[in-house]
Amino acid sequence: MTSPRLAIPFAFLISVLFTGCGGGGGGGQAATTSPATEAPATPAPAPASTPQTAGLWQGMTHTGRATHVVMLDDGRLYFLYSTVADATTLGGAIVGLMTNSGLSYTSQVAYDFDWEGMAAQTANLSGSIDNLSGFNGNVSYTTNANRAFSFTSGYRLPTASVVTLADVAGPYANADRTMNMDIDESGNVTGVAFAKKCAFAGKVVPTRNYTSILQLTLSFAGGGCSLGTNTVEGVAIYNPERKELLGVAVTANGASSALFQTRKP
């Protein structure tokens, strides 16, 4: 992991918010929720990425946010964090590319897509892994030192939550029903967001070692989509107890992101 294959330039970022709590802030524009006069055509599914090996750590920040940290074997890191008020509600995500020296890791590039009204901005993440039992470190910010925080987390074994795509399959919606998504038993994804003005389709594929961590690709159909006809790629985490899917994905150049928190009925 000392020479990652992909470097993501995070510039001119726009966060597209599929909010799980009826609203959201974040680095840029939120898609409109005005009624659609005609549903757009569903785009062709995006190709699935080659499955990678993942690591998953769960923990807390010193400010009281619950965290889910996923790192893939190419160095891509997805740091999902909750709101302070509710550990079960997504508050935002840091997406970055990590380099390492032994078990010490530093972000080559990282960006924080906040969901609580703060502007998205460049972040610096550093941490260390202790024999896969813990991933602990710090996050600082280039332009807002007051947002800095530390975090501690414990390694979650792949066998701690074993599911199949049949378990993941089904209909999902966010809390205010502005996003609806269906996943079939082959991992194909279709859905609409923001009062059916924005259609999307894609694929989820389990990582090599975690059945509950899914590599995700979504393609948007234009029309009412703030992401236009872009394709985003990232990860989704399935919680079988809550029947919930958390996800974050970015475009290939890092220019836009999509976050979502959805549940089955």
Side-chain angles (χ1 to χ4, degrees):
M1 200 180 294
T2 55
S3 301
R5 296 188 298 274
L6 175 65
I8 306 174
F10 289 91
F12 308 106
L13 287 136
I14 299 173
S15 180
V16 178
L17 306 179
F18 293 165
T19 180
C21 53
Q29 301 174 345
T32 177
T33 57
S34 59
T37 56
E38 181 178 357
T42 300
S49 299
T50 302
Q52 294 192 49
T53 302
L56 172 63
W57 293 264
Q58 294 178 328
M60 297 288 292
T61 71
H62 87 276
T63 55
R65 298 177 187 271
T67 62
H68 297 78
V69 184
V70 176
M71 186 153 46
L72 302 181
D73 60 11
D74 67 356
R76 282 180 292 172
L77 178 131
Y78 303 91
F79 188 113
L80 285 74
Y81 56 85
S82 74
T83 65
V84 173
D86 184 356
T88 66
T89 299
L90 185 63
I94 300 170
V95 181
L97 184 69
M98 307 297 289
T99 58
N100 71 295
S101 175
L103 294 177
S104 296
Y105 289 78
T106 304
S107 59
Q108 177 178 328
V109 60
Y111 218 88
D112 187 341
F113 298 92
D114 183 83
W115 225 5
E116 299 177 284
M118 298 286 287
Q121 63 180 273
T122 303
N124 301 295
L125 190 151
S126 61
S128 60
I129 297 174
D130 180 13
N131 295 323
L132 288 181
S133 64
F135 184 28
N136 309 313
N138 298 276
V139 176
S140 61
Y141 295 87
T142 303
T143 58
N144 189 347
N146 292 331
R147 287 183 67 177
F149 63 87
S150 61
F151 64 91
T152 58
S153 57
Y155 180 67
R156 185 170 173 84
L157 291 169
T159 54
S161 179
V162 178
V163 298
T164 66
L165 278 178
D167 297 322
V168 175
Y172 292 84
N174 64 346
D176 61 8
R177 302 285 172 174
T178 56
M179 177 188 181
N180 293 277
M181 177 171 64
D182 288 282
I183 301 176
D184 68 20
E185 294 188 6
S186 297
N188 297 306
V189 180
T190 56
V192 292
F194 306 108
K196 299 185 178 180
K197 290 193 70 176
C198 174
F200 58 89
K203 187 84 172 178
V204 291
V205 177
T207 56
R208 290 175 182 168
N209 52 337
Y210 285 87
T211 58
S212 58
I213 300 178
L214 309 166
Q215 290 175 234
L216 166 74
T217 53
L218 295 175
S219 291
F220 293 87
C225 299
S226 289
L227 279 168
T229 57
N230 277 302
T231 294
V232 293
E233 184 173 354
V235 298
I237 304 172
Y238 181 65
N239 184 324
E241 288 76 26
R242 293 172 57 84
K243 296 183 178 179
E244 180 179 74
L245 199 65
L246 298 177
V248 57
V250 297
T251 51
N253 67 353
S256 305
S257 73
L259 291 84
F260 62 85
Q261 178 173 19
T262 59
R263 286 189 185 180
K264 293 180 181 179

